[in-house]
Amino acid sequence: MGKRIRELDMMRGLAAIAVIMIHVTAAPLVESCWQGSSTIFYLTLNMAARFAVPVFIMLSGAGLELANRQNEGYLSYIRRRLSKIAPAYILWSVVYSFIWDKETEMLSIGQKVTLSSIVSDLVTGRSCIHLYFVPLIIQFYLLFPFIRKVLKTKWGLIFSCLVSVGLLSVRTYAATPEYLSFLFDARNPLNWLIYFTMGIWMSDARIIAILRSKQYKSALSFVLLAGISAITARVYFAAKLTNMIDPAIDGSELPLVVYAVLFMIWAWKVEWNNRAVSSALGWISKYSYGIYLSHILVLLLFITTYEALGFQGYGALFAIISIPFILLGAALLSVAGEAAIGRISKVCRPKSR
């Protein structure tokens, strides 16, 4: 399959928008008193967008499988894959090391950093709240040539499901000792293995033909709407009892796994015939990686400006204005970042004699 697959591009574009929605709705939910329609509005947006990271990981698996070169050496493969993601990641990790306060999770210009802290942030992805994703993906890159053939089998798919769901179940329902915390860290690829394996499967032409079938499309749409409504209601009432959002969301992670999987299947069944929608999502998809890396900076600047202008509270208008603004701002930064990296690479590239 040499040509681009439209459904994958559409899902990538939707996931870029969804990850912005998750972070835009975070502040209103944390500060909410769990009363009023705005809370339900923001919580619904937040829950509905929870397919974002699973879709990005699925797309990584699909991309690696589709671009697989049978006779390529391992070192050449790693160099090729890292050249696509490392330069932008290094740039943004260093930027966030200087401006992101890990304690307050807010913008903090001029804070002191050291070379060792910058290197540590690069390796761990801890320079900002969302950058864990890149070290996670790099681990999948490193493992892919060794686990690809196993994961392509039905037993590999079953194993991936059991591992990921099993770890999630233990984290949610069991008290685990501190020395095992690394197992449940977001950077542990085992927690996301089911989505990566689905990506490998969804790159197969026979599976794609089945997924594109319009059979059960209406029923699946109804199940998705009903499911996210039920999850939102569960999180709402759990958070209202404790006045804390994070534990309530953690308790709903298993249903959210099912929701993310069903969303991926549903996205294959959509025809994506609307030219304006498909063109917009295709453009967002093209710059999705840069959007993912830069959107937190744009969000922080937006909130700072929003408060400086005297606006108080987070009504529905905040989301309506902020989401498109942050999406456009992050996309522009992505374009600028790619151009800067391209110029640096051109300058550093040895000149041929």
Side-chain angles (χ1 to χ4, degrees):
M1 264 193 193
K3 63 179 182 179
R4 295 190 69 85
I5 300 174
R6 175 188 284 190
E7 290 87 350
L8 296 181
D9 284 337
M10 298 300 100
M11 279 190 267
R12 187 179 290 106
L14 288 173
I17 297 171
V19 80
I20 291 174
M21 288 170 55
I22 291 173
H23 290 126
V24 162
T25 56
L29 290 175
V30 169
E31 295 187 10
S32 171
C33 295
W34 298 101
Q35 295 177 357
S37 58
S38 62
T39 297
I40 297 174
F41 170 74
Y42 278 111
L43 187 59
T44 302
L45 286 182
N46 190 283
M47 293 297 101
R50 290 283 166 165
F51 65 84
V53 175
V55 163
F56 277 134
I57 293 172
M58 181 276 290
L59 290 168
S60 296
L64 288 176
E65 180 64 19
L66 289 168
N68 183 53
R69 300 177 184 178
Q70 297 293 335
N71 298 321
E72 185 177 27
Y74 183 71
L75 292 180
S76 174
Y77 152 78
I78 293 298
R79 184 167 55 250
R80 177 170 59 88
R81 299 312 306 184
L82 290 183
S83 68
K84 296 179 181 295
I85 67 169
Y89 170 66
I90 293 171
L91 170 65
W92 282 103
S93 181
V94 172
V95 168
Y96 284 116
S97 291
F98 280 93
I99 67 170
W100 174 259
D101 189 324
K102 298 181 181 66
E103 297 295 327
T104 64
E105 296 189 348
M106 292 297 292
L107 192 67
S108 179
I109 305 296
Q111 60 181 348
K112 294 181 180 180
V113 296
T114 63
L115 179 60
S116 61
S117 69
I118 291 175
V119 172
S120 176
D121 286 342
L122 276 171
V123 173
T124 63
R126 296 185 188 276
S127 61
C128 196
I129 193 171
H130 64 308
L131 292 187
Y132 73 89
F133 177 79
V134 182
L136 170 67
I137 291 301
I138 290 174
Q139 290 179 80
F140 276 124
Y141 285 179
L142 296 172
L143 293 170
F144 175 73
F146 306 106
I147 63 177
R148 170 180 171 266
K149 290 185 178 180
V150 174
L151 297 185
K152 288 186 71 172
T153 68
K154 66 178 181 180
W155 293 112
L157 182 62
I158 293 171
F159 172 78
S160 298
C161 182
L162 291 176
V163 169
S164 296
V165 173
L167 284 173
L168 180 57
S169 300
V170 171
R171 185 178 69 190
T172 304
Y173 301 111
T176 55
E178 183 66 25
Y179 64 85
L180 292 179
S181 61
F182 72 95
L183 285 174
F184 311 106
D185 190 278
R187 296 157 188 80
N188 181 2
L190 293 177
N191 290 295
W192 308 92
L193 189 60
I194 178 59
Y195 306 121
F196 187 76
T197 304
M198 285 184 63
I200 294 174
W201 276 67
M202 286 182 176
S203 64
D204 186 278
R206 294 168 298 177
I207 302 297
I208 290 175
I210 295 171
L211 291 169
R212 282 175 172 164
S213 167
K214 300 301 180 280
Q215 191 176 17
Y216 307 121
K217 176 184 173 182
S218 298
L220 188 56
S221 299
F222 174 79
V223 169
L224 276 176
L225 289 173
I228 204 60
S229 299
I231 294 170
T232 300
R234 184 190 186 284
V235 174
Y236 176 79
F237 288 111
K240 197 169 184 179
L241 287 174
T242 61
N243 206 30
M244 292 188 295
I245 181 63
D246 289 339
I249 293 176
D250 291 343
S252 297
E253 285 192 349
L254 279 174
L256 285 170
V257 170
V258 178
Y259 166 70
V261 170
L262 291 178
F263 177 87
M264 294 176 201
I265 297 172
W266 170 84
W268 282 98
K269 298 184 179 299
V270 178
E271 294 180 3
W272 306 108
N273 287 332
N274 187 295
R275 182 174 296 180
V277 172
S278 59
S279 296
L281 288 177
W283 185 81
I284 294 169
S285 173
K286 181 179 179 180
Y287 297 105
S288 60
Y289 181 54
I291 290 171
Y292 182 91
L293 295 174
S294 64
H295 78 277
I296 291 293
L297 172 59
V298 184
L299 171 60
L300 293 173
L301 292 173
F302 181 87
I303 292 177
T304 301
T305 305
Y306 179 84
E307 294 175 348
L309 291 174
F311 292 102
Q312 296 181 351
Y314 297 99
L317 184 63
F318 174 79
I320 294 171
I321 296 174
S322 63
I323 291 174
F325 180 89
I326 293 164
L327 178 62
L328 179 59
L332 292 175
L333 281 177
S334 177
V335 174
E338 286 189 11
I341 291 169
R343 290 193 188 97
I344 293 171
S345 300
K346 190 174 181 180
V347 170
C348 296
R349 190 181 299 124
K351 294 182 179 180
S352 56
R353 294 183 179 181

